[in-house]
Amino acid sequence: MTATTAPYAELKTPTTARRLLTAPTTGPLAALLLACVFFSLSTDQFLTGGNFSLIVQQVMVVGTLAIGQTLIILTAGIDLSCGAVMAFGSIVIAKMAAEGTLPPLLAITLGLVVCGGFGLLNGLLVQKIPLPPFIVTLGMLNVAFALTHIYSEEQTVTSLPGPLTALGETFPLGRTDITYGSLVTIGLFLLLAYALSSTGWGRHVYALGNSQEAARLNGIRTSRLTIGIYTVAGVLYGLAALLLISRTGVGDPQAGQTENLDSITAVVLGGTSLFGGRGSVLGTFIGVLIVGVFRNGLQLMGVASIYQTLITGILVILAVTVDQMSRRKAR
């Protein structure tokens, strides 16, 4: 009996190599490395410290949005309003601080509260009515977009006080300049990665995405958890608004029109399933870098922006196809 069960147990125990090969982030990481090799061979300007610093600066806003988007997609939801909410938050922060009605710190706090309020409202509508996340956030996208243009009066807000753009300042690291905003984005990724992988809250998020009913029967307060996740995502959109202001130096009512789709693209490319319950913030970080590397590399090669959009769309379709095939294989 013992002689037959021991070999069986060995066969069923995954080796370290097998775990690495089957990890959700292995494919996206391989794609990122291949893209870096390809662009390094295609243009001499790609493989430099300054260019990699530029890539991180270019993706820090979308990266912060993508963290919130990851939390929502892990619950089998989706948020189409994140870019518009970020734009409204940036206008609130910029106008409140530039017009001198509030000190910069209070203006930033108000912007975070406003964006968190949008997330709270999204969560309440999704959980209490309940309405499909796609419909709720599509409607909220239009609400936030309209409020942005009404409140800004279609005008870009300039002459911002120094504290609002402090995260856009740089410090030297070797031969490269790094922005403080890039460190904030990386810190947020690490914080949420720890929360999802090492806390009870993180395990509940995955359980909610796998089956809301099963999670409820296991004692998880699914309603409060869902509303909380949408609210946290909203606050993250407020932080993205601050990073956007620090990068551009203005409050722009036209901002945020493509960032919602870019954030979803990064999440999907990072291996998080659109059906919920599977994925990671680390994977999203890799997905954000994939988007940034492709756009940067294609720009250096002189590829027109419309073809960059075309290639990004093809990447998303490929990522979803791989996700569907892996789910069928797992059944």
Side-chain angles (χ1 to χ4, degrees):
M1 183 69 179
T2 305
T4 57
T5 53
Y8 179 79
E10 289 174 4
L11 287 174
K12 288 297 182 182
T13 302
T15 63
T16 302
R18 184 177 176 80
R19 282 198 294 269
L20 288 174
L21 288 174
T22 57
T25 54
T26 300
L29 183 59
L32 176 62
L33 293 175
L34 286 174
C36 288
V37 171
F38 173 76
F39 289 120
S40 298
L41 296 175
S42 302
T43 169
D44 295 335
Q45 300 169 280
F46 181 80
L47 195 60
T48 64
N51 190 50
F52 278 108
S53 174
L54 178 62
I55 291 172
V56 175
Q57 291 177 43
Q58 289 173 334
V59 302
M60 66 183 185
V61 174
V62 171
T64 304
L65 290 177
I67 298 172
Q69 190 74 261
T70 303
L71 293 176
I72 292 174
I73 289 180
L74 281 175
T75 67
I78 196 164
D79 192 347
L80 301 178
S81 68
C82 61
V85 171
M86 176 195 69
F88 185 55
S90 69
I91 289 296
V92 169
I93 294 172
K95 285 203 73 170
M96 285 293 174
E99 293 177 354
T101 54
L102 286 179
L105 186 59
L106 285 181
I108 293 170
T109 304
L110 180 61
L112 295 179
V113 170
V114 167
C115 291
F118 270 97
L120 174 64
L121 188 55
N122 277 337
L124 287 171
L125 291 172
V126 167
Q127 191 61 40
K128 296 297 184 182
I129 300 297
L131 295 174
F134 182 91
I135 300 299
V136 169
T137 57
L138 179 61
M140 205 61 71
L141 181 157
N142 289 289
V143 170
F145 178 82
L147 289 176
T148 300
H149 287 260
I150 292 170
Y151 184 56
S152 68
E153 299 176 334
E154 308 281 355
Q155 300 296 315
T156 300
V157 184
T158 58
S159 302
L160 302 181
L164 292 192
T165 58
L167 292 177
E169 296 177 1
T170 62
F171 65 93
L173 183 65
R175 297 181 179 179
T176 304
D177 290 329
I178 306 294
T179 63
Y180 293 102
S182 301
L183 295 183
V184 170
T185 301
I186 293 172
L188 288 172
F189 269 106
L190 293 175
L191 178 64
L192 266 296
Y194 172 79
L196 283 173
S197 63
S198 304
T199 68
W201 178 81
R203 289 189 287 274
H204 290 176
V205 172
Y206 283 103
L208 181 64
N210 280 316
S211 171
Q212 181 168 343
E213 182 61 17
R216 188 185 66 79
L217 292 174
N218 278 284
I220 297 174
R221 296 179 178 179
T222 56
S223 178
R224 191 169 70 173
L225 180 62
T226 302
I227 295 170
I229 288 170
Y230 276 88
T231 305
V232 169
V235 174
L236 288 166
Y237 304 156
L239 290 172
L242 180 60
L243 292 170
L244 177 67
I245 291 173
S246 70
R247 176 165 166 72
T248 61
V250 298
D252 183 7
Q254 304 298 330
Q257 296 188 13
T258 60
E259 280 79 355
N260 53 347
L261 294 180
D262 285 347
S263 69
I264 295 171
T265 300
V267 174
V268 173
L269 289 177
T272 296
S273 173
L274 285 173
F275 302 95
R278 193 177 64 172
S280 68
V281 170
L282 176 60
T284 297
F285 182 64
I286 297 172
V288 168
L289 290 179
I290 291 174
V291 174
V293 164
F294 263 90
R295 290 204 167 153
N296 177 272
L298 293 172
Q299 285 173 358
L300 292 177
M301 293 175 64
V303 176
S305 61
I306 190 64
Y307 289 102
Q308 298 174 30
T309 304
L310 174 66
I311 293 172
T312 304
I314 292 172
L315 286 174
V316 172
I317 293 172
L318 287 175
V320 174
T321 302
V322 171
D323 176 53
Q324 281 283 60
M325 292 175 66
S326 64
R327 288 178 72 88
R328 288 175 185 171
K329 189 176 179 181
R331 288 172 185 167

